[in-house]
Amino acid sequence: MDFTGLIAYPVTPFDAEGRISHEDLRGLVDGLASSGVDAITVLGSSGSFAYLDRSERSQVARTAIDAVDGRVPVAVGISSVGTREVLDAAVDAQAAGAAGLVLSPVSYVPLTDDEVLAQVRAVCAATDLPVCLYNNPGTTQFDYSLPVVAELSALPEVVAFKDTAADAATFNARHAELAALVQGDAFSHGVSGDVLMMSGEVAADAWHSGPAALLPAYYRRLRSAVVAGDRSEIDRVRHVLAPLVDHVAGLRKISGLHLLARACGIAAGDPRPPLLPSPGSELRELGRLLDVLEAEFGDR
């Protein structure tokens, strides 16, 4: 797995009692596998990985991988507070048939460069699956420097970097700087942050997105236009897609995605406590914005 193109990060659906709804998960990823996305990653932030135990995470991975049945690569998020748990998740993901791993430096105490280097090397020693590093400083309080990414890219298993930035110009500058630091052209530098994608100014090697798992056709259309430099099509898609994405971004990330999923007819249950659902009054506005998208472009 090379972690390029449009990579969708589905929610982990819950039922009304807070249990994982494997039937809804199976239906969601089955549809995604035929939607034109290039890959799927389960158990990312969108997938509520932090609120699931080891057994639940393993079951989610197996359900998704079985449902996709080889049609597109399925990566599995393995982030956890402790390295022991990260390694357990890596082993479980490989046993489930994952095509790759996504790892962010999660810890109760913010990690140092040396601690992150040691953890990534431990994962690469425990599995031969391709690894995508994930920079999520707003959550982890660790911000990957590009020299650290370049050092880790020398490991054969580390093939990608999921990155973010304050704005499109900053991301594009980081993209150029990292390309100069990394040897070879096979390393993928992808973008995380749907507001950056909606700018229409960041192509990157990959888009890593939670909303794309619920709106794959629209994200595919926008990414294709950005990669091609088709300004007319970029503006046309952004005009109707960006307001919906901005609205979801204004809600708490996981809760907002569960509400969007509900508006799309998926995942009737609320996110797992202690997270609270977004206000039910938002459902009507999400439905209105979805109607605008469908009137312009048809099916999601």
Side-chain angles (χ1 to χ4, degrees), residues 31 33 45 49 59-60 65-66 83 91 112 118 125 128 131 151 168-169 173 182 193 207 262 281 292 295 298:
S45 301
F49 78 88
Q59 291 167 18
V60 165
I65 291 164
D66 288 348
T83 295
V91 169
T112 66
D128 57 3
V131 175
E151 181 174 346
V182 173
W207 283 9
R262 188 178 301 173
S281 59
V292 172

Side-chain angles (χ1 to χ4, degrees), residues 17-283:
E17 284 71 46
R19 297 169 301 204
I20 296 169
S21 176
H22 288 275
E23 181 179 357
D24 284 332
L25 176 62
R26 190 174 293 108
L28 175 55
V29 297
D30 178 52
L32 270 177
S34 303
S35 71
V37 301
D38 295 288
I40 297 168
T41 299
V42 294
L43 299 173
S45 301
S46 303
S48 301
F49 78 88
Y51 304 96
L52 305 177
D53 63 27
R54 179 180 181 180
S55 175
E56 289 173 321
R57 291 173 70 163
S58 178
Q59 291 167 18
V60 165
R62 290 181 181 278
T63 294
I65 291 164
D66 288 348
V68 169
D69 194 26
R71 286 173 286 171
V72 296
V74 178
V76 174
I78 60 169
S79 305
S80 194
V81 170
T83 295
R84 179 181 59 185
E85 289 75 20
V86 167
L87 296 178
D88 286 342
V91 169
D92 291 345
Q94 182 152 14
L101 307 173
V102 177
L103 174 63
S104 59
V106 177
S107 183
Y108 180 75
V109 177
L111 300 180
T112 66
D113 286 351
D114 286 342
E115 288 166 339
V116 170
L117 289 164
Q119 184 179 79
V120 174
R121 287 170 178 147
V123 169
C124 294
T127 175
D128 57 3
L129 289 176
V131 175
C132 175
L133 310 175
Y134 177 22
N135 192 30
N136 186 12
T139 297
T140 66
Q141 301 181 69
F142 179 88
D143 196 352
Y144 265 104
S145 72
L146 297 185
V148 167
V149 176
E151 181 174 346
L152 288 170
S153 73
L155 297 169
E157 296 82 7
V158 177
V159 301
F161 181 42
K162 175 184 174 183
D163 194 15
T164 191
D167 52 53
T170 302
F171 180 89
N172 288 332
R174 281 172 67 82
H175 187 74
E177 183 179 350
L178 184 60
L181 291 172
V182 173
Q183 299 298 315
D185 58 1
F187 191 80
S188 172
H189 184 196
V191 64
S192 174
D194 294 81
V195 174
L196 288 173
M197 298 169 205
M198 292 304 108
S199 73
E201 298 174 1
V202 177
D205 299 315
W207 283 9
H208 298 259
S209 170
L214 300 168
L215 306 167
Y218 304 138
Y219 269 76
R220 187 177 71 248
R221 182 185 290 266
L222 180 59
R223 176 167 170 79
S224 295
V226 173
V227 170
D230 185 344
R231 177 49 59 180
S232 176
E233 180 70 357
I234 291 170
D235 291 343
R236 180 184 175 216
V237 181
R238 286 183 67 248
H239 177 70
V240 288
L241 180 58
L244 174 57
V245 173
D246 289 345
H247 192 77
V248 174
L251 306 171
R252 291 183 63 190
K253 180 175 182 180
I254 297 175
S255 300
L257 284 174
H258 275 263
L259 195 64
L260 178 60
R262 188 178 301 173
C264 295
I266 302 165
D270 293 326
R272 181 168 284 183
L275 298 183
L276 295 175
S278 295
S281 59
E282 298 288 355
L283 192 61

